[in-house]
Amino acid sequence: MINKKVKVLNSGFVQLVDLMPSSSNGADLAIVDAARLSYKSSSKGEEQDKKLIFHLMKNNHTSPFEQVEFKFLVRLPSMVMAQWVRHRTGSYSISSGRYTAFTKDDFYIPDDCRCKSDLTTDLLQGGLIETYGRGLAMYEGALENNVPKELARLFLPGFAMYYTMYYKTDAHNLMNFLRQRMAKNAQWEIQQYAKVIYEDFFKPSLPWTAEAFEKFKLKNWPI
Ligand SMILES: Cc1cc2nc3c(=O)[nH]c(=O)nc-3n(C[C@H](O)[C@H](O)[C@H](O)COP(=O)(O)OP(=O)(O)OC[C@H]3O[C@@H](n4cnc5c(N)ncnc54)[C@H](O)[C@@H]3O)c2cc1C
């Protein structure tokens, strides 16, 4: 599971870089252990342990879930990043357009225009590719003329540019992120990232917690 990487959108991905604790089902047991510390006991067997996780989730005993930590490497368009970093309980480290030059592979192109008119995906994509091409040419021309990267990037479409970031958070706050960003009213693009985090990483790492989360915290799941 560690280092598994899943593609998202045209050029993005989510990769699990680290998980504490890392052993299979050990993460659920870390939550059980943290909760039982109050009573100076630990695991009482699968059935009782799973029941305890459901009790914690149902009654909002949140702190034991903070004992599990996830660290992801994420490549994402800046418009998605702007929404993601509003989650203040995560720790972030983000690539810099001041120090690293953008290339033709760093632009987000949607697969579908989600149009409510006659505009087609082909037209939207065509328009974007043309605009991106012009911006990239201006950007590269500016760099050739020794304009610093921090200013040359003004020629690029800010929302479309891919960045890479580390995102580290605990299971409790990750569930808050997932609940908000897998929901139908979240922007489709961030939903794709949240669903990959949930299905490919969270669920296999914390199967009992995920089951309790779906039962008590996720309305109308699966969506
Ligand atoms: C569909 C959708 C639309 C949105 N639209 C907008 C928008 O139009 N404009 C906009 O500005 N934002 C918007 N947001 C962002 C939203 O308001 C939240 O800022 C963001 O989703 C982070 O949520 P959070 O505070 O629960 O997460 P976190 O920042 O991770 O915080 C988790 C929890 O910790 C607590 N907490 C953290 N920091 C503090 C603090 N400083 N003080 C008190 N409690 C704290 C709160 O209980 C919070 O719920 C939108 C979000 C969604 C999902």
Side-chain angles (χ1 to χ4, degrees), residues 29-218:
L29 288 179
I31 294 164
V32 168
D33 273 351
R36 290 240 168 83
L37 193 65
S38 311
Y39 306 99
K40 290 196 172 162
S41 68
S42 58
S43 175
K44 289 184 176 174
E46 198 165 305
E47 199 185 324
Q48 288 298 311
D49 290 350
K50 191 171 170 183
K51 229 170 157 179
L52 176 60
I53 293 223
F54 274 61
H55 170 81
L56 297 171
M57 187 73 73
K58 184 178 179 191
N59 294 290
N60 297 318
H61 292 314
T62 57
S63 57
F65 296 103
E66 292 173 32
Q67 294 301 322
V68 174
E69 295 233 327
F70 290 84
K71 180 175 173 181
F72 298 103
L73 184 64
V74 185
R75 181 166 150 83
L76 73 179
S78 144
M79 73 175 172
V80 177
M81 190 168 73
Q83 298 168 350
W84 198 312
V85 299
R86 296 301 308 280
H87 294 267
R88 298 156 288 180
T89 46
S91 299
Y92 301 89
S93 188
I94 301 175
S95 61
S96 170
R98 290 185 66 200
Y99 305 123
T100 307
F102 290 100
T103 73
K104 65 176 176 36
D105 300 321
D106 293 330
F107 294 82
Y108 173 50
I109 299 171
D111 276 347
D112 180 6
C113 74
R114 311 202 284 273
C115 300
K116 291 179 183 136
S117 70
D118 292 338
L119 183 67
T120 63
T121 297
D122 280 354
L123 273 174
L124 176 73
Q125 289 180 338
L128 288 175
I129 288 167
E130 195 192 322
T131 307
Y132 294 168
R134 246 184 285 128
L136 185 63
M138 297 292 283
Y139 173 74
E140 289 176 341
L143 293 184
E144 278 163 23
N145 283 292
N146 296 320
V147 176
K149 294 184 196 73
E150 66 186 16
L151 286 182
R153 62 183 168 171
L154 290 170
F155 286 114
L156 299 174
F159 280 126
M161 305 313 297
Y162 272 96
Y163 284 78
T164 307
M165 69 178 189
Y166 281 115
Y167 169 55
K168 181 175 75 68
T169 194
D170 59 69
H172 166 62
N173 285 298
L174 186 56
M175 283 188 279
N176 182 49
F177 170 87
L178 294 170
R179 194 179 47 74
Q180 293 184 26
R181 302 305 181 172
M182 290 197 296
K184 279 185 191 145
N185 64 340
Q187 182 164 342
W188 184 86
E189 280 79 4
I190 198 165
Q191 283 185 45
Q192 307 317 301
Y193 284 91
K195 285 176 183 173
V196 163
I197 287 189
Y198 186 60
E199 295 293 343
D200 289 84
F201 300 110
F202 189 95
K203 235 168 146 171
S205 307
L206 289 167
W208 297 343
T209 301
E211 219 181 302
F213 179 54
E214 287 180 25
K215 181 166 182 188
F216 297 116
K217 305 293 176 197
L218 280 183

